[in-house]
């Protein structure tokens, strides 16, 4: 009986560790603002499934990435305060890999773009095939102002623009 209880406990812990809900906040150069929703992250046999339930975002396509630190605060960049820069750069286990998209061999932090409808809501799930829930611990999910072409041309880091929303993964 003791062994059965231990096994059930281990199973419960492993199930919990493969899914999490990440709160997402509006961010600006002044700091972290109000919560705009959350993103459910779940491991699947095809990779990390991210299910957003967000509102208050500008309609359109937005760059979406995993960043190095679970800190969404503003930080100094080029002598000015910049939204979400305490989160660091794109998550990149190899340090120096290129921005190559979620299906390439570049940054692990490259996620599929986030689609926001005309009402400012993001609810379409995306799949990141090379990432797991465990990879996100101590990182953040970052939403950028513009789209992402997964190349450094014509603009660095896919042209995603400024950071507008962030979710720390604890």
């Amino acid at each position: 009986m003791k062994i059965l209880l231990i096994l059930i406990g281990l199973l419960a812990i492993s199930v919990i560790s493969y899914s999490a809900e990440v709160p997402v906040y509006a961010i600006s150069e002044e700091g972290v603002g109000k919560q705009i929703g959350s993103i459910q992250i779940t491991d699947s046999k095809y990779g990390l499934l991210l299910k957003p339930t967000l509102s208050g975002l500008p309609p359109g396509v937005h760059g979406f990435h995993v960043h190095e630190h679970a800190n969404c605060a503003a930080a100094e960049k080029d002598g000015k305060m910049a939204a979400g820069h305490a989160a660091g750069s794109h998550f990149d286990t190899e340090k120096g890999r290129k921005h190559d998209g979620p299906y390439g061999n570049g940054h692990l932090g490259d996620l599929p773009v986030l689609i926001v409808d005309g009402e400012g809501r993001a609810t379409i799930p995306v799949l990141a095939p090379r990432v797991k829930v465990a990879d996100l611990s101590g990182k953040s999910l970052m939403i950028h102002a513009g789209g992402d072409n997964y190349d450094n041309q014509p603009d660095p880091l896919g042209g995603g623009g400024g950071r507008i929303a962030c979710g720390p993964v604890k």
Side-chain angles (χ1 to χ4, degrees):
M1 184 62 164
K2 249 176 148 179
I3 292 174
L4 180 61
L5 289 175
I6 290 171
L7 288 174
I8 291 171
L10 289 174
L11 179 62
I13 290 169
S14 68
V15 169
I16 291 168
S17 68
Y18 293 109
S19 183
E21 187 165 335
V22 179
V24 178
Y25 303 90
I27 58 174
S28 71
E29 57 278 350
E30 283 86 40
V32 179
K34 70 176 186 160
Q35 185 171 345
I36 60 168
S38 64
I39 298 173
Q40 182 72 34
I41 55 175
T42 307
D43 285 332
S44 80
K45 71 180 192 175
Y46 303 107
L48 182 68
L49 181 63
L50 299 104
K51 297 181 194 173
T53 305
L54 304 170
S55 61
L57 291 167
V61 177
H62 296 274
F64 189 33
H65 305 100
V66 178
H67 281 247
E68 298 174 298
H69 310 294
N71 185 346
C72 296
E76 192 172 309
K77 179 186 177 197
D78 300 328
K80 297 180 184 177
M81 293 304 284
H85 275 269
S89 298
H90 291 183
F91 172 48
D92 181 11
T93 56
E94 299 295 320
K95 301 292 179 205
R97 286 177 127 170
K98 64 182 181 167
H99 185 63
D100 199 25
Y103 306 104
N105 289 318
H107 303 148
L108 278 179
D110 289 344
L111 300 175
V113 293
L114 191 69
I115 308 289
V116 178
D117 69 19
E119 304 293 317
R121 295 180 304 242
T123 58
I124 299 171
V126 298
L127 185 67
R130 301 183 305 133
V131 186
K132 298 179 187 131
V133 169
D135 296 329
L136 273 58
S137 180
K139 311 283 186 288
S140 61
L141 297 175
M142 188 69 66
I143 301 168
H144 293 265
D148 190 341
N149 70 359
Y150 305 114
D151 197 347
N152 286 323
Q153 299 297 326
D155 296 311
L157 298 177
R163 301 170 185 197
I164 60 171
C166 180
V169 183
K170 303 292 180 173

